[in-house]
Amino acid sequence: MNLGTEVGLKMGKATRDAFGEALRDIGRENPAVVVVDGDVSNSTRTEWFGKEFPDRFFDVGIAESNLVGVASGLAANGKIPVAASFAAFLLCNAYDQIRMGVAYPHLNVKLVGSHAGISIGEDGPSQMAIEDVALACALPGVVVLVPADEHAARAATRAMIAYDGPTYLRVGRPNVPVVYDENVQIEIGKAITVREGGDVTIIANGLMVAAALDAAARLAGQGIEARVLDMHTVKPLDEAAVAAAARETGGIVVAEEHLHHGGLGSVVAMAVARLHPCRMGFVDLDDTYAQSGTGEELLREYGLTADRIVEEATRIVRGG
């Protein structure tokens, strides 16, 4: 995948792989952690937990609503359940159960959606979660996490388990560039400044963080210094970082592997409108479903690229 190459990032593991590794490790440390999966554990990587802790692993089959119900019951009885499936199956198929069985009673259920975004490639639109962040953000009291690389995914998994309340963790299928080292810390609600800059700010999460860094390098060649913020927590949003970016750089571009409405761009725009209005641009999927193709082909086809970020940032800086 052609991301992070211009700033010399090396390719790492998929965030779903890092999640699976971290979950297994946490299982060794915390016997209260249990896992419920929907017959896709070889894809979500929860099978690594299940092989080591079979008495704490429950495969409910292709029945996402039942999966959430089981997880809710486990949480109500003091366990820390991780409920995992493809993001499209979990959030779309079981939304009512998540709403009434997890969010409304504010139970300590850890929802994990794998294979998010269009970068899953050839599986096609039926399995591409492109609205999951919007759906999760709409649920009162639910934390929403979108890590950028394998190290951030491990840290986000630990932050999710340590947090007392419902969470949604979004992870992906493809290998992604390594942005951080193994010591990165993910603090819920606190953005990470990946690159300093005073002319414009690029706010991104997931694999778009690497694209944002590539874009910032290109912009620097044009004399434009871009700040890059990794907004790994979409909810609660780091409003202080957003307000500072708007005030100090005068313009913000939001880049995400998600639909235009309801995701990171929407929540950042709401914060900007309320705290410090400034010029904004958005790099996302707009309002469309994707076709089938390789992950790299699809990211290019739908404009989730450094090129598109550069266009938006340049337009903002030059007042276009």
Side-chain angles (χ1 to χ4, degrees):
M1 188 167 289
N2 189 28
L3 294 170
T5 55
E6 297 186 34
V7 288
L9 299 183
K10 296 181 179 179
M11 191 60 65
K13 296 180 179 180
T15 52
R16 63 165 175 164
D17 293 338
F19 154 72
E21 292 169 350
L23 181 63
R24 179 195 58 209
D25 294 343
I26 293 168
R28 295 167 182 164
E29 304 162 9
N30 190 340
V33 174
V34 296
V35 173
V36 190
D37 199 282
D39 199 35
V40 287
S41 63
N42 61 326
S43 296
T44 61
R45 305 310 196 212
T46 62
E47 67 175 356
W48 300 339
F49 180 101
K51 288 177 180 177
E52 192 158 336
F53 309 104
D55 293 340
R56 292 154 56 192
F57 179 81
F58 308 94
D59 190 334
V60 302
I62 305 173
E64 291 79 18
S65 297
N66 189 39
L67 183 156
V68 172
V70 170
S72 299
L74 289 164
N77 283 277
K79 300 298 183 183
I80 304 175
V82 176
S85 184
F86 282 25
F89 303 163
L90 184 63
L91 268 295
C92 298
N93 290 1
Y95 195 73
D96 183 53
Q97 285 69 34
I98 294 171
R99 177 176 181 265
M100 296 308 300
V102 176
Y104 177 65
H106 200 74
L107 289 176
N108 194 28
V109 175
K110 314 304 179 183
L111 303 165
V112 179
S114 179
H115 289 61
I118 63 173
S119 56
I120 69 169
E122 293 88 345
D123 287 358
S126 67
Q127 298 180 50
M128 293 173 177
I130 56 174
E131 62 279 278
D132 56 315
V133 172
L135 290 170
C137 281
L139 296 165
V142 175
V143 167
V144 181
L145 298 166
V146 185
D149 72 356
E150 61 175 280
H151 298 306
R154 292 188 188 95
T157 301
R158 289 192 170 275
M160 171 183 72
I161 297 297
Y163 176 79
D164 184 14
T167 63
Y168 174 60
L169 174 67
R170 185 192 219 223
V171 292
R173 179 186 193 180
N175 293 347
V176 291
V178 177
V179 175
Y180 302 107
D181 64 28
E182 62 274 8
N183 297 314
V184 65
Q185 298 294 312
I186 295 294
E187 180 181 346
I188 290 174
K190 184 69 173 177
I192 299 175
T193 302
V194 189
R195 188 185 191 279
E196 296 287 357
D199 297 323
V200 67
T201 297
I202 305 167
I203 297 178
N205 61 17
L207 56 74
M208 294 305 291
V209 173
L213 289 170
D214 279 341
R218 291 189 200 173
L219 289 165
Q222 302 175 23
I224 299 171
E225 292 299 326
R227 180 180 306 180
V228 177
L229 296 181
D230 176 2
M231 197 64 70
H232 52 73
T233 309
V234 182
K235 183 185 174 186
L237 185 72
D238 187 345
E239 293 191 340
V242 172
R247 183 175 61 253
E248 296 167 7
T249 72
I252 293 173
V253 177
V254 183
E256 60 183 321
E257 189 187 3
H258 190 272
L259 289 176
H260 184 63
H261 298 281
L264 179 62
S266 292
V267 297
V268 169
M270 285 191 291
V272 167
R274 191 177 78 255
L275 299 173
H276 193 95
C278 71
R279 295 178 62 83
M280 293 193 68
F282 303 91
V283 175
D284 49 45
L285 283 170
D286 198 9
D287 188 34
T288 186
Y289 292 103
Q291 305 170 63
S292 179
T294 68
E296 188 162 347
E297 288 172 340
L298 293 172
L299 292 175
R300 186 169 59 250
E301 174 68 20
Y302 294 94
L304 300 184
T305 63
D307 289 341
R308 187 76 183 89
I309 297 172
V310 168
E311 288 177 13
E312 284 296 294
T314 303
R315 176 185 63 80
I316 287 172
V317 171
R318 296 178 178 170

